[in-house]
Amino acid sequence: IGARIREKVKARVAALPASPGLAVILVGDDPASHLYDELKKRACEEAGIRFELFLYPADVSEDALVLKIHELNARPDVTGILVQLPLPAQDANRVIAAIRPEKDVDGFHPESLRALAEGRPGIVSALALGIMKLVDEGRRVVAPLANRVVIVGSPLFAEPLRLLFSEQRATIDRVDPSDPELGTRTMSADVLIVAVGKPGLIVGSMVKPGAIVIDVGTTKIGRRVIGDVDAETVLPVAGALSPVPG
């Protein structure tokens, strides 16, 4: 699915009068964040998109990040700005709100979310759209009636997904990973989406038989990248499971 999308993007970029440019702001030294940005860089190079990375120490001030974003907003050669989340300690909402909505390629700007909620054209979270593509494929192959969605993750991560699934009249439940009823609530899901960064958080006994499971979690341990879902116990139970890495 990813390969098909990247080929389409490559063709569209080649037809543009000028090459688009992505600026990524990365704060701190979280291995998963660095991995994500390396993958983004590779995808940009493959598609013919210029990639610029701006690295900051974990204790950088919010003011410094907002100042850099204003500078990137003013540059016509930068057509997209992305702040790698989560931030170590800075207020992500304040930093993201500084991005001009038309350059907010992550789709987390308040105006982007407002446009989505109101059914207006706007930039939608690429991560959320990728998840929707996977869920659509899972429905087509294994679970056509999968309509009860449980999202384990932060409100910021869940909100674009909640709006997209609402368009399909799905039932959506967001669960905090520390919820004492986590296992009971995930068991009710036809579609289970997990994005926490805690390896082995979801095991087979927490998954409804035949469910579509999307594992967005990534934790780097040594040279290995591990998801939030314990694939060994979940694979025999789930109808479909997205791979980590991949």
Side-chain angles (χ1 to χ4, degrees), residues 10-62:
K10 188 176 180 178
R12 288 178 174 177
V13 168
L16 289 172
S19 175
L22 175 65
V24 173
I25 291 174
L26 178 56
V27 180
D29 52 9
D30 178 63
S33 292
H34 280 262
L35 171 71
Y36 272 133
D37 285 326
E38 185 55 41
L39 293 171
K40 285 167 187 164
K41 181 184 178 185
R42 223 178 292 164
C44 282
E45 287 169 351
E46 192 183 313
I49 296 167
R50 282 185 309 96
F51 180 93
E52 283 185 73
L53 180 62
F54 297 91
L55 274 170
Y56 290 91
D59 60 355
V60 66
S61 70
E62 283 168 26

Side-chain angles (χ1 to χ4, degrees), residues 106-174:
D106 248 347
F108 288 143
H109 190 281
E111 179 53 35
S112 304
L113 291 171
R114 195 156 42 243
L116 179 59
E118 294 171 2
R120 294 185 283 111
I123 297 173
V124 180
S125 158
L127 177 55
L129 289 177
I131 290 166
M132 298 303 290
K133 290 274 188 189
L134 287 174
V135 171
D136 286 347
E137 185 77 2
R139 283 176 175 148
R140 189 182 68 78
V141 175
V142 297
L145 301 177
N147 218 32
R148 180 167 178 79
V149 181
V150 174
I151 302 167
V152 183
S154 70
L156 184 67
F157 167 78
E159 186 58 13
L161 285 168
R162 185 188 69 77
L163 294 166
L164 290 168
F165 278 113
S166 296
E167 290 178 357
Q168 301 181 347
R169 305 197 186 287
T171 305
I172 307 115
D173 183 19
R174 187 194 74 83

Side-chain angles (χ1 to χ4, degrees), residues 89-100:
Q90 299 79 3
D91 180 355
N93 290 323
R94 184 192 166 207
V95 174
I96 288 164
I99 302 171
R100 275 171 49 185

